[in-house]
Amino acid sequence: MKRILTGILLILVVVALIFFGQLWMLTLAVCVTAELAAYEYLTLANSGSGHIPKWWMAVATALVFYVTYYRPIEAQLPMLSVLALVLLTWTGFHGTLDRALPDAALGLFGLMYVAYPLTLVPMIWSRDDGKPLLLFLMVCVWAGDIAALYIGRNFGRHKLSHLSPNKTWEGSFASVAGSVLAGLGVVYAGQALSARGNTLLHILQPVWQSIVLAIIINVAAQLGDLLESAIKRGAGVKDSGTMLPGHGGILDRIDALLLAAPVLWCVLLLKDAFSLGRF
């Protein structure tokens, strides 16, 4: 019951931010989420031999969101470069030399793994087709996760990967189907609203493109889930944290999004580059 109630509350908050929030509200909410997830990542990374300073991860995450809010295109790469050099300098002067490069690499990876993908959420929202696109992304991720959980738990027989022993091929295929059905639900809901003069969920691309996009998002989401499982298994823990009742940690809830969002962003860049139209 805790899992269901927590899930419903999170969904309501996200949907409210997408359709009723402003850019600064969404950016702030995602930044706070990234800070909490980055802290969980830091705990996992430092549980071994890592010594990444907490102050650096907190400040670096906030700065990445700050420059994304004001200058999302030209400022991100320079900021990431500066933050990487600051961390390398700190580890070089405040630790043993054999840990300077590994700790700097672990810290920068955490920034690229957690913070940067989440900065894409407000960037997607800011597009002219951003609201329906972001809802489509979230719904595909949520539906795929739910379908994989319940079908895999009840009907799963064939193991998917050693990275996560509880995941099965049956659950994986159900996850793809769940994302496609949920994505089509958004598309047809948009068409129904458009027929009544409401363009809130207006989607221009053909239905078949939405199906392909839902599949791409789902595959990326499943890989994101497996990669986080690999990180947790490497750290010897089951959950990344205990912040969300019934769900584990923040990182456990957004692991799929951390890969799905960048993959979606790349698809959008390709569509724009080849003039394939808007979402």
Side-chain angles (χ1 to χ4, degrees):
M1 182 58 70
K2 285 183 179 181
R3 183 183 182 90
I4 295 174
L5 291 176
T6 302
I8 292 174
L9 178 61
L10 291 175
I11 289 173
L12 291 175
V13 170
V14 171
V15 172
L17 282 171
I18 291 175
F19 292 106
F20 303 107
Q22 298 180 20
L23 179 59
W24 71 266
M25 296 178 186
L26 182 65
T27 303
L28 180 60
V30 179
C31 180
V32 171
T33 302
E35 289 282 7
L36 296 174
Y39 175 79
E40 291 181 348
Y41 167 81
L42 202 66
T43 302
L44 295 176
N46 287 346
S47 65
S49 56
H51 296 89
I52 310 167
K54 294 180 181 179
W55 66 265
W56 179 87
M57 185 62 79
V59 171
T61 300
L63 285 175
V64 169
F65 275 89
Y66 178 80
V67 298
T68 299
Y69 182 78
Y70 288 102
R71 296 188 178 277
I73 302 300
E74 63 268 31
Q76 283 184 329
L77 184 57
M79 178 57 69
L80 289 171
S81 300
V82 169
L83 291 171
L85 292 174
V86 168
L87 181 58
L88 181 59
T89 301
W90 177 271
T91 55
F93 280 94
H94 290 80
T96 58
L97 290 179
D98 63 320
R99 290 301 312 170
L101 182 57
D103 286 345
L106 277 172
L108 183 59
F109 173 76
L111 201 61
M112 297 299 297
Y113 174 59
V114 177
Y116 176 72
L118 291 179
T119 64
L120 297 176
V121 171
M123 290 177 67
I124 292 172
W125 186 90
S126 298
R127 291 170 53 99
D128 59 348
D129 54 355
K131 291 182 179 180
L133 187 56
L134 191 55
L135 180 65
F136 186 89
L137 169 65
M138 295 297 183
V139 164
C140 287
V141 171
W142 294 334
D145 184 56
I146 293 171
L149 175 64
Y150 289 101
I151 298 300
R153 177 180 294 174
N154 293 298
F155 303 101
R157 298 293 183 271
H158 301 87
K159 300 300 182 182
L160 177 63
S161 171
H162 69 282
L163 296 178
S164 182
N166 293 327
K167 290 181 172 53
T168 63
W169 280 106
E170 290 83 357
S172 180
F173 288 127
S175 179
V176 174
S179 290
V180 170
L181 292 175
L184 287 176
V186 175
V187 172
Y188 289 127
Q191 291 179 356
L193 289 173
S194 296
R196 292 169 173 79
N198 189 327
T199 59
L200 185 66
L201 287 179
H202 189 52
I203 297 171
L204 293 179
Q205 70 179 10
V207 173
W208 71 266
Q209 287 190 21
S210 295
I211 294 174
V212 172
L213 185 59
I215 294 172
I216 292 174
I217 288 174
N218 179 271
V219 172
Q222 291 196 55
L223 287 174
D225 197 345
L226 288 172
L227 290 176
E228 199 242 352
S229 294
I231 293 174
K232 290 189 295 185
R233 286 173 66 82
V237 300
K238 181 179 182 296
D239 296 318
S240 64
T242 58
M243 293 185 187
L244 298 175
H247 288 260
I250 300 291
L251 201 55
D252 293 322
R253 286 302 89 212
I254 65 170
D255 53 4
L257 184 63
L258 294 181
L259 192 55
V263 168
L264 173 60
W265 186 252
C266 289
V267 171
L268 296 176
L269 291 178
L270 288 174
K271 290 190 69 173
D272 291 343
F274 292 98
S275 300
L276 299 178
R278 66 188 292 278
F279 175 69

